[in-house]
Amino acid sequence: TDGSEPAVNVTRHPDNDYNPNWSADGKILSFLSERVDEEYDVWSVYLDKDLEALTAKELEEYYDEAAKAAKKRKPLEVKKPKQEEKEEDADEEGEGNDAVDSEEEDAGDDSADEVEDDEADEEEAEEEEKKLDLDDAYLRLRRITRFEGSESGLVMTPGGDRLIFNGTHGERALYSVKWDGSDRKKLTSSSSVQQVSLTGDKVVIVKGNQAATVKPAGGGLKTIGISDKIRIDLQEQASQKFKEAARTIGEQFYHPTMKGLDWEGISEKYHRLAKQTRTASEFAEVGMRLLGELNGSHLGIYPRDGFSSSNSQSMGRLGVNAKRVPEGFEVLRVIPHSPADKGSMKLEVGDVITAIELEPIDTKDTLETMLRGLSGKETLITIRRTMKDGEVKDLNILLTPISYRALNQLKYKDFRRTNAKLVDEWSNGRLGYIHIQGMNQSSLDVFERDLYAAAHGKDGLIIDVRNNGGGWTADRLLSSIMVEEHAYTVPRGADWNETGHYPQDRLFIQRYTQPMNMLCNEKSFSNAEIVSHAFKTLKRGKLVGQQTYGGVISTGGTSLIDGTFLRLPFRGWFVKGGMDMENNGAIPDIIVEQTPEAEAANRDEQLKAAVDDLLKRID
């Protein structure tokens, strides 16, 4: 702590470790680590290697003694410096020389004793320090928990004998285990863990917005009644919130010079406005204007109490594209697998929807307003249909509308199928196509699932990250498409001339080594831009489309005094060579504008350009 020795990396692992806890004697360190299956478990290590030589019985005795010692702990007393004590004593006893001489003599005697005590303390500290075996601690870590999912909120009793954390063992709850992972106890439901008391007899938690304590080994749950009223000066609160936000951004924003801005001067200008705000939305408006000066992505300021949807009603969707006509809405297209495309009572192109639940459609109505509150409910739809023989009939059919989100997913799947079909047609079956919806694990799983179906037997592959909002899986995707073949396998009975096979179970992720192109556009954002930059930098193929958005920063966040959330970019991303990806989107090798005319005519000119270029390269 005094900086006399360099820091020691105790865990030496590339994955995240956090939430450290030390025993009172400093011999045991426990923490949470992500090193197995990408889930956080409780790990522990003896910093004093001598503890590893103890038998199970001796270890039990050690922990018993450590727990007993912890119960004797008392808060540290703040002692005044000797000079202050002397001055106080002099004031009390007067300014006589005898009193001063007496004090000096006593001080001399005390200081001699203190020197001896200090030397003894130093020897004891040196002896204690020698017991800490840190260099090989990473080899001696012990995994304490193997719960479902990740543990959180770890604390350890001062004696190191029990570990308390939130975890999932059938249900999410606050659990406690002994130092070796045994004797699991459910203390209470999942809680915000604050600390263990000085003597180790209580765990302080917040549960259901109430303060409470519980015994480390279970039982004795007690809530602490805290009730108070405060009077808030809204101007002072707004001032404090703003200064917190401006200071935090100034200290942690990824760019060291704040992009050359006079941050202090700009902050003061907006501070004068912020002090005049009275509502959360007014404050957010001023805060967002301050953040806007940075011309950066991944920034935001959000009041704790956002829009309340308690009284809102979702609007159902049938799954059709329609245009208004005098009688209602004429169906122009039916989205595959939507409610309008299911069962014997399907809608057809040319049908005119004239009423919903027997309520005629007025000129001021939309399909959405007529379907308000009907998502998930069987609904009577009245249509006017022209039969094959020319007869016009009014029909009543039953459909169950779906939500806006569900319909968007159906549209997305239709977009993928349509593009895959186009690529297959344009390339005469030589190329495959995969779109990646987001840079997240679920989308990566879909990519890996579809890789064989899309690319097996093909000469090349088109990967599409257009309209991809980002995430974090760029390097995992690159692990699939940037790998180079080093060997192949042929099992007994297979054709020895087939040279491209490798055991699936030996791979981190399914690989693809054939030629490919990647599509991006101005709606490719964040991590989708990182993978676009990488694809071009590593020369894996041609990047086709439009320049990406230019919003690439690692972001986190913090809460202000009233719970307002401040989004906080803290880490910049730079292309190999030094270019900041923020405000500098990936520029395609082949730039193709997707015009409104092409969009209206359902012509994907960017996709066609990517296919044409790849076909030329593989011929």
Side-chain angles (χ1 to χ4, degrees), residues 44 92 98 133 164 188 211 270 299 322 503 582:
S44 184
E92 291 176 3
D98 293 341
D133 303 295
I164 301 95
T188 184
Y270 285 102
L299 285 157
E582 179 74 358

Side-chain angles (χ1 to χ4, degrees), residues 237-465:
Q237 178 178 257
S239 175
Q240 176 66 22
K241 280 198 301 182
F242 186 88
K243 287 190 289 186
E244 283 182 12
R247 182 184 69 249
T248 304
I249 288 287
E251 291 173 349
Q252 299 186 36
F253 186 66
Y254 90 101
H255 201 285
T257 67
M258 304 300 287
K259 296 188 173 182
L261 297 173
D262 176 10
W263 188 247
E264 186 175 342
I266 291 173
S267 297
E268 181 54 36
K269 179 178 73 172
Y270 285 102
H271 181 220
R272 292 193 293 271
L273 288 174
K275 287 192 294 185
Q276 306 308 314
T277 64
R278 293 296 180 269
T279 67
S281 59
E282 287 176 352
F283 179 84
E285 172 71 17
V286 175
M288 289 295 285
R289 288 179 180 273
L290 170 71
L291 300 180
E293 296 280 354
L294 290 167
N295 188 26
S297 64
H298 297 77
L299 285 157
I301 189 162
Y302 308 98
R304 180 177 58 182
D305 300 321
F307 171 72
S308 174
S309 59
S310 59
N311 295 320
S312 66
Q313 291 180 303
S314 65
M315 296 178 179
R317 302 296 197 281
L318 298 177
V320 296
N321 292 343
K323 70 175 182 179
R324 182 178 288 281
V325 294
E327 299 88 351
F329 289 93
E330 181 184 348
V331 176
L332 302 177
R333 180 171 180 262
V334 177
I335 308 300
H337 308 294
S338 68
D341 189 45
K342 291 182 178 179
S344 59
M345 294 185 283
K346 296 180 181 180
L347 290 176
E348 299 176 0
V349 173
D351 288 344
V352 177
I353 302 171
T354 58
I356 306 291
E357 292 284 271
L358 302 179
E359 184 74 25
I361 295 177
D362 192 81
T363 55
K364 67 179 185 299
D365 295 322
T366 66
L367 270 181
E368 288 75 18
T369 58
M370 293 295 290
L371 293 168
R372 182 186 289 115
L374 296 177
S375 179
K377 298 178 181 178
E378 194 172 54
T379 302
L380 187 65
I381 310 294
T382 303
I383 63 172
R384 185 164 296 161
R385 176 174 293 174
T386 301
M387 311 304 288
K388 291 181 179 180
D389 60 4
E391 182 182 1
V392 178
K393 286 187 176 181
D394 288 330
L395 305 172
N396 288 323
I397 62 176
L398 290 171
L399 298 177
T400 303
I402 58 177
S403 68
Y404 172 76
R405 178 175 294 184
L407 179 62
N408 269 353
Q409 280 301 303
L410 291 178
K411 287 182 176 180
Y412 170 70
K413 291 177 181 177
D414 182 51
F415 162 81
R416 285 186 54 159
R417 287 191 297 267
T418 299
N419 282 0
K421 185 177 180 181
L422 287 172
V423 170
D424 189 66
E425 290 176 358
W426 291 337
S427 68
N428 292 319
R430 299 183 66 189
L431 303 180
Y433 169 87
I434 299 178
H435 184 271
I436 301 175
Q437 188 175 22
M439 305 305 290
N440 50 44
Q441 189 61 49
S442 59
S443 293
L444 188 66
D445 291 341
V446 171
F447 167 80
E448 187 176 18
R449 179 199 71 188
D450 290 350
L451 187 57
Y452 181 87
H456 180 67
K458 308 287 186 181
D459 297 324
L461 179 67
I462 304 292
I463 291 182
D464 191 349
V465 295

Side-chain angles (χ1 to χ4, degrees), residues 418-428 431 433 462 464 466 517-519 544-545 590-594 598 602-617:
T418 299
N419 282 0
K421 185 177 180 181
L422 287 172
V423 170
D424 189 66
E425 290 176 358
W426 291 337
S427 68
N428 292 319
L431 303 180
Y433 169 87
I462 304 292
D464 191 349
R466 292 177 298 176
N517 278 349
M518 179 176 283
L519 281 162
V544 183
I590 302 174
I591 297 176
V592 182
E593 183 181 3
Q594 184 71 4
N602 288 322
R603 294 197 317 269
D604 194 334
E605 296 176 347
Q606 294 173 339
L607 182 62
K608 186 67 166 62
V611 170
D612 291 345
D613 175 78
L614 188 53
L615 286 174
K616 290 177 185 176
R617 300 209 327 267

Side-chain angles (χ1 to χ4, degrees), residues 111-127:
S111 71
D113 292 338
E114 285 173 10
V115 169
E116 292 178 4
D117 291 342
D118 289 343
E119 290 175 353
D121 290 342
E122 288 176 7
E123 290 176 3
E124 186 177 337
E126 288 177 5
E127 182 180 349

Side-chain angles (χ1 to χ4, degrees), residues 474-475 478-479 481-484 530-541 575-576 589:
D475 288 277
L478 292 171
S479 295
I481 64 177
M482 292 303 303
V483 66
E484 293 186 9
I530 294 174
V531 80
S532 299
H533 277 293
F535 191 85
K536 182 178 178 180
T537 299
L538 300 174
K539 303 184 186 307
R540 180 61 177 89
V575 178
K576 186 178 181 181
D589 299 296

